[in-house]
Amino acid sequence: MIKVVPLKEGDFYEDEVKNFLPIGDKVLTTEIQLAVQPFLIITDHHKTLLDAGLGYQENGTYIIDQLLEKEGLTPLDIDRVLMSHLHKDHVNGLVEDTEKGYKGRFPNADIYIQRREVAFAELSMDDISFDYDILEEVLALPNIIWMNGDRGNIVDCISYEVVGGHTPYMQVFWIKDDEQIIFYGADNLPKYNYLEFNMAFKSDYDGKLAMKWRGDWKVQAEAEHWTMLFYHDMDKVMYICE
């Protein structure tokens, strides 16, 4: 049996340079507003994260750590982190700034990163979607598993495919058992309303490609009754397609 636990860091808005600022009690009308919520996948033998969040803290405590504690876990219990892409709101939570420099927050986890996504980030040094100082620290972590394929299996129950769209080499994941198929479309499918109002978004590297994938996934999800996970939806965390 697969258990899915949303690890919502909070609801945020983006300023003009894509800093993620907590909404709190602010009344916003025009700013981009979105949740940031990695997902914890619990199976009999593994604790897997789908993306790592911002590393957002309140009163010096990581929000994700508080949510893990509710499951009886700490970051040391995470044994696998699957990264869809390397934008700051997905990757910054992998490291922690300490008095002795940066260190990995999930030292016992294999961290799966698509190597071609790194090459794209390094070629886009003026892209404010990346935090290059932190990304440099992330890419130096000793527990990275470098991925080079277009599709395949992480383990028998977890498969991936490089689909592009939001970034050129963004990858998505399926987690399957005998009872369910869980799909994580990352920022190609960040919110539920992208299913209802599918269009090409200028914020994507290739908005038309992302739109095509969403259409294809919706058809397959309805046929196979996927559970879809939404990283940026402020209200609907997941949806079971009937």
Side-chain angles (χ1 to χ4, degrees), residues 2-237:
I2 301 169
K3 181 178 180 181
V4 179
V5 181
L7 301 178
K8 184 174 180 178
E9 293 187 289
D11 293 329
F12 301 88
Y13 68 96
E14 292 184 5
D15 65 12
E16 63 277 3
V17 292
K18 287 200 173 182
N19 290 315
F20 288 77
L21 306 173
I23 292 175
D25 296 327
K26 297 180 178 66
V27 177
L28 303 174
T29 56
T30 59
E31 291 87 351
I32 295 175
Q33 303 172 43
L34 68 172
V36 175
Q37 51 198 3
F39 292 91
L40 169 65
I41 307 297
I42 300 175
T43 61
D44 289 342
H45 303 292
H46 294 283
K47 312 295 187 297
T48 301
L49 286 187
L50 300 176
D51 283 332
L54 283 163
Y56 184 67
Q57 303 178 51
E58 287 184 350
N59 301 318
T61 301
Y62 286 95
I63 297 298
I64 282 182
D65 291 1
Q66 295 177 356
L67 297 172
L68 288 174
E69 186 176 359
K70 292 181 179 180
E71 301 298 321
L73 302 172
T74 75
L76 298 179
D77 294 304
I78 304 302
D79 56 15
R80 188 185 292 127
V81 183
L82 308 181
M83 298 303 304
S84 65
H85 64 297
L86 299 176
H87 285 168
K88 67 180 78 170
D89 54 317
H90 292 254
V91 75
N92 281 18
L94 285 174
V95 294
E96 176 181 2
D97 192 5
T98 73
E99 292 181 355
K100 296 182 179 181
Y102 282 94
K103 68 175 185 178
R105 294 224 327 112
F106 306 101
N108 297 325
D110 290 331
I111 301 172
Y112 288 79
I113 295 177
Q114 178 60 232
R115 188 181 292 276
R116 288 169 291 177
E117 184 72 9
V118 177
F120 167 68
E122 292 174 343
L123 288 172
S124 308
M125 291 300 290
D126 59 347
D127 189 337
I128 57 178
S129 294
F130 297 99
D131 184 328
Y132 287 98
D133 291 336
I134 291 181
L135 183 57
E136 182 179 2
E137 301 293 337
V138 166
L139 298 179
L141 291 172
N143 49 330
I144 294 176
I145 305 296
W146 293 109
M147 305 170 69
N148 298 292
D150 290 333
R151 62 186 60 82
N153 291 329
I154 305 296
V155 291
D156 287 345
C157 66
I158 301 177
S159 60
Y160 75 93
E161 184 170 1
V162 176
V163 296
H166 183 65
T167 64
Y169 300 102
M170 201 195 77
Q171 52 192 8
V172 300
F173 300 94
W174 291 263
I175 303 98
K176 304 178 182 180
D177 65 10
D178 293 336
E179 299 179 4
Q180 57 189 323
I181 300 173
I182 296 165
F183 175 67
Y184 177 56
D187 280 11
N188 275 0
L189 186 55
K191 297 181 179 182
Y192 171 75
N193 64 12
Y194 279 48
L195 289 174
E196 293 189 311
F197 307 103
N198 194 10
M199 62 188 72
F201 291 91
K202 293 181 179 179
S203 57
D204 292 331
Y205 178 83
D206 188 337
K208 291 183 178 179
L209 179 58
M211 180 176 67
K212 175 191 177 298
W213 278 119
R214 283 190 290 273
D216 292 347
W217 292 331
K218 183 177 181 179
V219 172
Q220 191 173 356
E222 290 173 348
E224 299 179 356
H225 310 296
W226 294 359
T227 297
M228 296 180 137
L229 307 181
F230 306 116
Y231 191 86
H232 286 309
D233 201 305
M234 295 168 61
D235 299 310
K236 189 183 289 288
V237 176

